[in-house]
Amino acid sequence: MALVCWKCGASLADLTLPLRRLEECRQCHAELHVCKLCEWYSLSVAKHCRETVAEEVKDKERANFCDYFKPREDAYSMKSTDAASKAQAELDALFGKKPDAPAEPSAADKARAELEALFGKKK
């Protein structure tokens, strides 16, 4: 099994280890030096970290300076267990929005697309 992005499941085989603190997934642009990609990450323990001497990281999806970070291969799960995703799906069902309906891009996504178009960057 190869290393994949914790957020989208894209292959990270082309990246060199150890991952830099600000390394991003080339597919979804998620930061990679995060708790959710670490082998010490576990929802079953306090502070979601099995490393007892590691300093607590509040945001498990943002890049951090943890010295104990070691990427794990099984960090991606196709199941949507994220509480926010589940809540959004329930709201969509409540208000009759179809799950396959395209979502409106955010202002940040629109701005990024405009900049990429301006500078000729391809995705």
Side-chain angles (χ1 to χ4, degrees), residues 35 47-48 55-61:
C35 295
K47 301 177 187 174
H48 301 164
E55 195 170 315
E56 181 181 7
V57 175
K58 297 288 185 190
D59 191 343
K60 309 297 187 201
E61 296 182 0

Side-chain angles (χ1 to χ4, degrees), residues 80-98:
S80 180
T81 56
D82 181 5
S85 298
K86 184 177 179 182
Q88 184 64 49
E90 290 174 359
L91 281 172
D92 290 345
L94 180 65
F95 291 106
K97 183 178 177 186
K98 302 213 182 320

Side-chain angles (χ1 to χ4, degrees), residues 100-120:
D100 57 342
E104 277 292 315
S106 68
D109 291 337
K110 288 179 184 177
R112 174 179 236 136
E114 289 174 12
L115 284 172
E116 288 175 351
L118 180 65
F119 291 103

Side-chain angles (χ1 to χ4, degrees), residues 2-68:
L3 191 63
V4 295
C5 175
W6 64 271
K7 189 171 185 179
C8 72
S11 174
L12 302 177
D14 58 335
L15 299 178
T16 57
L17 296 177
L19 293 174
R20 295 178 302 121
R21 188 185 83 76
L22 294 177
E23 196 78 64
E24 287 185 349
C25 171
R26 291 189 173 104
Q27 185 77 25
C28 70
H29 303 289
E31 295 173 335
L32 297 175
H33 197 285
V34 300
C35 295
K36 285 193 170 185
L37 186 63
C38 183
E39 76 171 24
W40 299 106
Y41 179 75
S42 174
L43 293 174
S44 64
V45 295
K47 301 177 187 174
H48 301 164
C49 185
R50 291 182 288 113
E51 175 53 62
T52 58
V53 295
E55 195 170 315
E56 181 181 7
V57 175
K58 297 288 185 190
D59 191 343
K60 309 297 187 201
E61 296 182 0
R62 297 293 309 244
N64 59 61
F65 290 98
C66 183
D67 291 330
Y68 298 98

